[in-house]
């Protein structure tokens, strides 16, 4: 935990500030890599801000989140719940990072199937950035920042009706891919939806290695973690033989001869046959082979996930601080020694940070870590 000043400001749909959300309880702020950030809170119906939120059309508005005066997120209402019962009348809000609802826009302005990227020499992130510019009239609340250095990929065909978010995921998660995130921009009143509210950014890998930001649990460690959870997912997750078939429109006949197959023999001997079939939109067999290889590389063995809750910070530097010492995407050391057993001793990547601050500003933090994908 750390001490920080978190505060939220509610605006109606026109982005004109209505007031600070100063009576909120059950606050939870979630930051994740390559996924929407979210805000959750409740306010009493009897409070001034609670009445104003409840009076807004459908409770729809924007929540601006600040940490120590710095804007961290602009989110829009995705769920409103008003509860009325004896002794409790509350307004509950779930808000999602404002960029994501905009990304539901469809590629309807495209006249027919088109290759994205247009040429194999175009970097995948740049191709998406160019697509944002092309669709700017429809999703003008997004602007483009840095697209970093990301790999070039062979074109794939995307049809009319593909959402911009689906296109982003298809490009970002294919091959070596890229990480992406949105920097918040103060919405401009009274017409926020004709001005930029988020900036798209991409890089081959978001974050850096932070060797000093070490999280440790147990005897003979720094013991700066109060609680951990280790989960290993097997079952349907396991794939030790992947068969990737091509689309029916492929120039290659969709027969067994055109299948791309990848196998992990060691995993096969341990877990038995775990064959899966995937139908892809990828025309070239070489790319389907890459897809099959990637599935087996990531899924041949149980997926390991850790959550950790850092200890209270007393300002002595023993507990790394979010944003100051590490951030989403960073790779940090993690050690868990429990009952004489070393559960974890590896570099792990920070995939998620969930913050629940109390009324005094003390941050209760939960880290989502994955040791399988630190490269």
């Amino acid at each position: 935990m750390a001490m920080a000043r978190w505060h939220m400001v509610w605006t109606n749909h026109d982005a004109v500030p209505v007031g600070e959300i100063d009576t909120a309880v059950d606050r939870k702020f979630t930051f994740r890599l390559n996924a929407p950030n979210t805000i959750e809170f409740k306010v009493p119906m009897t409070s001034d801000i609670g009445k104003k939120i409840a009076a807004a059309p459908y409770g729809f508005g924007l929540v601006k989140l600040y940490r120590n005066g710095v804007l961290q997120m602009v989110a829009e209402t995705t769920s409103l719940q008003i509860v009325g019962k004896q002794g409790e009348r509350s307004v509950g809000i779930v808000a999602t990072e404002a960029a994501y609802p905009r990304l539901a826009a469809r590629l309807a302005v495209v006249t027919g199937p088109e290759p994205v990227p247009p040429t194999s020499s175009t970097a995948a992130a740049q191709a998406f950035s160019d697509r944002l510019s092309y669709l700017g009239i429809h999703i003008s609340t997004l602007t483009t920042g840095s697209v970093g250095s990301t790999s070039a990929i062979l074109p794939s065909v995307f049809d009319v009706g593909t959402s911009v978010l689906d296109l982003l995921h298809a490009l970002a998660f294919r091959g070596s891919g890229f990480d992406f995130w949105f920097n918040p921009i103060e919405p401009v009143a009274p017409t926020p939806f004709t001005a930029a509210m988020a900036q798209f950014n991409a890089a081959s890998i978001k974050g850096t290695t932070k060797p000093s930001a070490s999280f440790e649990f147990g005897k003979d460690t720094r013991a700066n973690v109060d609680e951990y959870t280790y989960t290993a997912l097997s079952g349907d997750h396991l794939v030790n033989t992947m068969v990737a078939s091509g689309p029916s429109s492929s120039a290659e006949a969709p027969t067994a001869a055109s299948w791309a197959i990848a196998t992990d023999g060691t995993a096969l001997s341990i877990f038995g046959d775990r064959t899966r079939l995937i139908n892809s939109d990828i025309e070239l067999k070489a790319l389907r082979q890459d897809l099959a290889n990637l599935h087996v590389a990531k899924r041949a063995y149980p997926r390991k996930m850790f959550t950790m809750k850092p200890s209270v910070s007393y300002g002595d530097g023993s507990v790394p601080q979010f944003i100051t010492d590490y951030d989403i995407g960073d790779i940090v050391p993690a050690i868990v020694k429990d009952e004489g057993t070393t559960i974890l001793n590896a570099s792990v990547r920070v995939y998620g940070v969930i913050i629940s601050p109390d009324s005094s500003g003390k941050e209760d933090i939960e880290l989502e870590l994955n040791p399988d994908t630190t490269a």
Side-chain angles (χ1 to χ4, degrees):
M1 296 186 201
M3 297 294 292
R5 160 68 171 156
W6 289 93
H7 76 279
M8 298 180 289
V9 174
W10 173 267
T11 86
N12 285 339
H13 63 87
D14 56 7
V16 175
V18 172
E20 185 166 345
I21 307 171
D22 53 2
T23 56
V25 296
D26 298 337
R27 294 184 295 172
K28 184 165 74 172
F29 313 136
T30 301
F31 300 85
R32 287 198 169 96
L33 181 67
N34 301 328
N37 298 332
T38 59
I39 296 171
E40 298 177 45
F41 65 89
K42 291 180 181 179
V43 290
M45 184 68 174
T46 54
S47 67
D48 182 61
I49 194 66
K51 294 174 184 176
K52 290 177 179 178
I53 294 175
Y58 312 103
F60 184 83
L62 301 177
V63 180
K64 300 191 295 183
L65 175 67
Y66 300 84
R67 183 181 189 270
N68 295 332
V70 178
L71 182 66
Q72 299 295 328
M73 195 190 317
V74 176
E76 70 172 47
T77 303
T78 51
S79 174
L80 164 76
Q81 185 176 65
I82 301 176
V83 175
K85 61 182 181 181
Q86 291 296 331
E88 178 186 350
R89 296 188 302 282
S90 64
V91 180
I93 289 289
V94 177
T96 302
E97 189 177 7
Y100 279 84
R102 311 279 81 75
L103 293 175
R106 301 281 166 174
L107 296 177
V109 294
V110 179
T111 57
E114 66 164 351
V116 179
T119 69
S120 59
S121 62
T122 304
Q126 186 61 53
F128 181 76
S129 175
D130 294 343
R131 183 54 52 205
L132 274 184
S133 298
Y134 186 66
L135 293 172
I137 189 172
H138 298 288
I139 49 176
S140 56
T141 48
L142 296 179
T143 185
T144 300
S146 171
V147 295
S149 174
T150 60
S151 64
I153 63 173
L154 291 176
S156 289
V157 173
F158 292 89
D159 207 345
V160 172
T162 298
S163 76
V164 180
L165 183 59
D166 287 343
L167 174 62
L168 173 57
H169 284 160
L171 294 175
F173 301 149
R174 183 171 297 165
S176 57
F178 56 87
D179 289 332
F180 63 89
W181 66 99
F182 298 92
N183 289 337
I185 299 173
E186 282 278 2
V188 178
T191 54
F193 297 113
T194 59
M197 288 200 302
Q199 182 185 71
F200 167 74
N201 296 274
S204 296
I205 296 179
K206 184 182 190 296
T208 60
T209 299
K210 301 288 180 64
S212 61
S214 183
F215 294 94
E216 304 177 17
F217 177 95
K219 190 176 181 181
D220 300 323
T221 72
R222 294 173 65 180
N224 58 5
V225 171
D226 288 341
E227 182 181 333
Y228 76 92
T229 300
Y230 166 48
T231 304
L233 298 178
S234 50
D236 290 343
H237 167 80
L238 292 180
V239 175
N240 47 44
T241 300
M242 174 59 74
V243 178
S245 66
S248 58
S249 60
S250 174
E252 300 165 340
T255 63
S258 69
W259 291 350
I261 303 175
T263 300
D264 185 310
T266 302
L268 183 65
S269 67
I270 296 174
F271 303 107
D273 183 16
R274 302 296 175 114
T275 299
R276 298 289 186 270
L277 171 69
I278 184 171
N279 296 311
S280 74
D281 66 342
I282 301 174
E283 298 281 345
L284 298 179
K285 184 177 179 180
L287 289 181
R288 293 199 300 276
Q289 187 65 58
D290 289 342
L291 180 64
N293 293 343
L294 183 62
H295 269 276
V296 171
K298 299 299 183 183
R299 300 174 62 187
Y301 298 89
R303 182 184 179 194
K304 296 182 290 184
M305 296 183 296
F306 284 85
T307 62
M308 287 185 174
K309 291 188 176 181
S311 307
V312 175
S313 173
Y314 295 103
D316 59 0
S318 62
V319 182
Q321 301 300 296
F322 179 49
I323 297 177
T324 304
D325 300 317
Y326 69 95
D327 209 333
I328 298 295
D330 284 342
I331 297 172
V332 301
I335 299 173
V336 175
K337 295 182 178 181
D338 204 353
E339 296 296 325
T341 300
T342 298
I343 306 296
L344 174 68
N345 187 358
S347 293
V348 297
R349 196 163 188 213
V350 181
Y351 271 79
V353 178
I354 303 171
I355 303 168
S356 302
D358 65 14
S359 58
S360 67
K362 186 179 294 182
E363 298 172 320
D364 185 357
I365 291 179
E366 180 176 297
L367 305 178
E368 296 176 343
L369 310 169
N370 192 331
D372 291 337
T373 52
T374 56

